[in-house]
Amino acid sequence: MDFLSTFNYYLNMPVLELIAVITALLYVIFAAKGSIWCWPMALISTLLYTAIFYDVYLWMDSVLQVYYFAMAIIGWLNWQQAKQNCSHLLPIHTMSLGFHLKAIAGLVFLGMLVGYLMATYTPTDFPYIDALTTVFAVFGTYLVVKRVLENWLYWVVIDLVSIFLYIEKDLQPTAALFIFYTGFALFGFIQWYKMYRQQNAELLSIATDNE
C-alpha cells in the first residue's frame, strides 16, 4: 500500500473493525493492569473478530476468537469469584522452565499437525503460521486466566508473528493493533512481575507476623 491508499483505507475503515481494534486494545490495557474489566472488552472484540477473520480466510484465527470468547467468560467468572472470596484477584504465580519447554514442544507439534490439515483440506491462507499462532494463543490465554506470569512472554512472540500475517492480508488496523500488543505484552510482564513480588512480600510479612 502507498501512502494515499493507506490513508484512504483508514479513512474508510469499516466501523466494526474500528470497534474491534479499540476494544481489543482496551482488553490488553486492562489485562496488563490486572483489572477485571479486561474480560468485557475481550467479549466484544472477539465476537467482532470472529466474523472479520472468517471473511479474509484466516479461519484458524476465526475459530480462535470463539475460544477467546469462551475463555473471557471463564476468566471473568474466575477473577470475580476470587475477588469476592478473598477480596483479591487470583494470585500471580510462575511455572518452571521445564514446564514451558515441554509446553512449547507439544504446541509446535500440534500446530504443525493442524497446519497440515488446514493446508490439505481447506482454502485458508498461511495455514501453518495461522495454526501455530492459534495453538500458542490458546495456551497463552489459558495462562492469562490462571494468572501465570510468563504468559506475557508467549504473547510477545505471538504478536510479532501475527503482525506479518495481518499485513499480508491487508488488515492494516489490526496489524497496527498488534504492534501495540507487543509493547503492551512487555509492559504487562513488567507490571505483573511487580505485583508478583509485592504479593510474595505481603505473604512473607504475614507468615513472619504469625510466627
Side-chain angles (χ1 to χ4, degrees), residues 57 59-60 114-125 127 130:
Y57 289 92
W59 288 359
M60 285 302 296
V114 173
Y116 171 78
L117 294 175
M118 296 295 289
T120 305
Y121 298 108
T122 76
T124 187
D125 293 331
D130 196 15

Side-chain angles (χ1 to χ4, degrees), residues 27 29-40 79 89 147 192:
Y27 160 75
I29 293 172
F30 284 130
K33 291 181 175 294
S35 170
I36 199 170
W37 282 99
C38 67
W39 300 116
W79 285 27
L89 291 173
R147 287 173 69 85
W192 278 37

Side-chain angles (χ1 to χ4, degrees), residues 96-190:
S96 69
L97 178 60
F99 169 84
H100 290 296
L101 290 176
K102 290 176 183 177
I104 290 170
L107 291 168
V108 168
F109 175 79
L110 179 60
M112 295 300 291
L113 176 61
V114 173
Y116 171 78
L117 294 175
M118 296 295 289
T120 305
Y121 298 108
T122 76
T124 187
D125 293 331
F126 305 102
Y128 289 99
I129 297 176
D130 196 15
L132 284 167
T133 55
T134 296
V135 297
F136 272 91
V138 166
F139 184 66
T141 303
Y142 169 79
L143 296 181
V144 173
V145 172
K146 295 299 183 182
R147 287 173 69 85
V148 176
L149 175 64
E150 295 85 5
N151 87 83
W152 296 107
L153 301 180
Y154 284 87
W155 289 114
V156 169
V157 178
I158 294 167
D159 294 342
L160 286 172
V161 175
S162 297
I163 291 168
F164 162 78
L165 198 60
Y166 299 139
I167 288 175
E168 289 296 311
K169 296 303 297 183
D170 284 334
L171 294 173
Q172 305 299 333
T174 302
L177 172 67
F178 273 71
I179 293 174
F180 282 109
Y181 269 7
T182 304
F184 275 118
L186 292 170
F187 171 74
F189 179 78
I190 294 170

Side-chain angles (χ1 to χ4, degrees), residues 9-78:
Y9 181 93
Y10 279 92
L11 188 64
N12 299 300
M13 184 170 59
V15 174
L16 289 182
E17 187 178 1
L18 177 61
I19 296 173
V21 167
I22 292 172
T23 52
L25 184 58
L26 288 173
Y27 160 75
V28 174
I29 293 172
F30 284 130
K33 291 181 175 294
S35 170
I36 199 170
W37 282 99
C38 67
W39 300 116
M41 296 300 101
L43 291 174
I44 298 171
S45 66
T46 53
L47 190 62
L48 296 176
Y49 270 126
T50 299
I52 292 169
F53 289 142
Y54 183 84
D55 187 55
V56 297
Y57 289 92
L58 292 177
W59 288 359
M60 285 302 296
D61 272 27
S62 184
V63 171
L64 177 62
Q65 299 304 310
V66 176
Y67 169 79
Y68 281 167
F69 187 87
M71 291 302 286
I73 295 174
I74 294 171
W76 195 355
L77 293 174
N78 283 349

